[in-house]
Amino acid sequence: MSFASKLFGSLRPATVNKDGYPAYTRSPEEQYVQMLLTNTMNQTFYADQHELLDNAAELHQSMAAGNPVFMAKALVYARSEGFMRLQPLFGLAVLSSARPDLFSQVFQQVVRIPSDLSDFLTILNGLGRGEGGRAVKRQVKLFLAGVSEYWALKYNGRGRGYSLGDAIATAHPKPEDLKQQALFRYLRGQEANLALLPQVEAMEKLKTAATEEEQLAWIEAGKLPYATVTGVIKPTLAVWNSILYQMPTFALLRHLNALQRAGVLEDKRNLDYVSGTSDGSAGPAQSPDSAVPLRDSLPSGRAAGAAGCLAGSGGPHVR
């Protein structure tokens, strides 16, 4: 008998898959990492959303009870290395109840942008946790302390779950200075001193600008990013020209038809920039800094490797 036969001959399938065929079981940690990195809770061929949600809830609860330290590390890994959002946020909501201390250590590494905070609070409410308790409010306050004018303009849309204004009403953060007080009041829809918030003031003025010259002046004065400009006005050729060179690569791709219709690409300089053929300076099509990492769904082998790394000394530091 060969060495391989001796080594692997005793391995036998321990379970069955969705089609009833023999399959092998994974360790709880490997199952958990695989779920975090591949389960987006969209309907699949083998399972619908409700089944996936139930399975995810069971795994989150099981890991929170059995190995919460590993769970905390895995949530950070899935958010920062796996580029996943919903499952890590779901797990974070579960962890906030089971281990508030670990939750506090990893919150800022999992909730990274305002839309993360919105989804986290939505999940928390859906789990029947209400506002989540003191540990949650403390972390939400810390997050809100770092909100910028840009975030206020981009992420405070209402009617899409929790807005930043809703989060402020939930956590009741204390402003550090008059500028932050004005920002919080603006986010809550209250009267605020916009003179302390030049970018916000420029955006509000842009909304009511009567002429193209006024629009361009407020875009320049507030250094307004393309995402906020295109959200409040219909850009003219001159406006497109003023924001073209600050647009990220994927934004350019999404707006190519609009740029073409507006006549922006009839200017050879603009066309060369968009196509990345401008002399000397690399446009977005060439710039290595413009590359956005694709989501890594981690095949099963890599899920096992990630689980092993997180279980050992690797991965994010969690005490």
Side-chain angles (χ1 to χ4, degrees):
M1 181 180 293
S2 69
F3 179 72
S5 298
K6 292 179 181 179
L7 187 61
F8 296 100
S10 60
L11 294 178
R12 293 290 184 272
T15 186
V16 294
N17 62 20
K18 292 285 185 178
D19 279 333
Y21 289 100
Y24 296 89
T25 57
R26 303 178 185 275
S27 69
E29 289 77 14
E30 189 178 345
Q31 289 182 52
Y32 189 64
V33 172
Q34 184 182 41
M35 183 269 293
L36 285 176
L37 295 173
T38 62
N39 185 347
T40 60
M41 291 192 287
N42 289 324
Q43 184 137 334
T44 66
F45 181 80
Y46 287 107
D48 60 22
Q49 287 181 330
H50 296 294
E51 185 176 352
L52 290 171
L53 182 61
D54 290 342
N55 290 342
E58 183 179 350
L59 276 172
H60 285 308
Q61 294 287 356
S62 175
M63 193 55 59
N67 196 344
V69 172
F70 177 87
M71 178 183 186
K73 292 182 178 182
L75 295 176
V76 175
Y77 182 87
R79 182 67 183 94
S80 60
E81 301 296 329
F83 307 107
M84 302 295 280
R85 289 186 60 253
L86 198 55
Q87 281 293 0
L89 293 171
F90 187 6
L92 189 67
V94 173
L95 187 65
S96 69
S97 175
R99 287 290 300 271
D101 56 329
L102 293 176
F103 161 81
S104 298
Q105 289 184 47
V106 302
F107 179 90
Q108 303 295 333
Q109 300 174 73
V110 178
V111 176
R112 304 179 67 171
I113 56 176
S115 54
D116 291 343
L117 180 64
S118 173
D119 286 344
F120 170 75
L121 293 174
T122 299
I123 293 169
L124 204 64
N125 187 59
L127 293 176
R129 296 279 312 286
E131 296 179 354
R134 285 181 293 180
V136 171
K137 286 187 176 181
R138 189 180 305 116
Q139 293 305 312
V140 173
K141 287 179 182 179
L142 289 173
F143 182 90
L144 292 172
V147 170
S148 64
E149 288 185 63
Y150 172 74
W151 274 5
L153 295 174
K154 183 175 181 180
Y155 291 105
N156 200 43
R158 300 185 182 279
R160 295 177 294 180
Y162 279 84
S163 66
L164 285 171
D166 296 328
I168 291 170
T170 297
H172 306 291
K174 184 177 180 180
E176 295 181 355
D177 52 33
L178 291 177
K179 180 176 181 178
Q180 193 171 75
Q181 181 186 59
L183 184 61
F184 285 173
R185 289 183 63 84
Y186 172 77
L187 289 169
R188 291 286 292 128
Q190 300 169 349
E191 185 177 348
N193 183 3
L194 296 187
L196 298 173
L197 307 170
Q199 199 168 31
V200 171
E201 182 180 39
M203 176 56 67
E204 293 301 318
K205 295 290 187 181
L206 177 64
K207 292 178 182 178
T208 58
T211 66
E212 183 179 78
E213 289 72 23
E214 287 183 68
Q215 292 176 344
L216 293 172
W218 286 117
I219 291 171
E220 175 63 27
K223 294 181 172 55
L224 297 178
Y226 90 95
T228 55
V229 172
T230 56
V232 298
I233 64 171
K234 183 177 180 179
T236 62
L237 174 59
V239 170
W240 277 121
N241 281 327
S242 71
I243 62 176
L244 174 67
Y245 291 86
Q246 56 154 290
M247 294 174 68
T249 300
F250 284 166
L252 279 172
L253 291 174
R254 288 196 303 270
H255 290 90
L256 279 177
N257 284 336
L259 293 171
Q260 179 66 37
R261 287 195 302 268
V264 177
L265 302 183
E266 293 178 10
D267 185 322
K268 187 177 185 303
R269 176 172 171 267
N270 292 341
L271 181 61
D272 288 346
Y273 173 77
V274 171
S275 63
T277 57
S278 54
D279 53 342
S281 58
Q286 292 178 320
S287 173
D289 294 334
S290 66
V292 176
L294 296 176
R295 176 173 295 165
D296 186 352
S297 60
L298 260 75
S300 58
R302 289 190 62 192
C309 175
L310 292 169
S313 59
H317 177 66
V318 177
R319 295 188 299 274

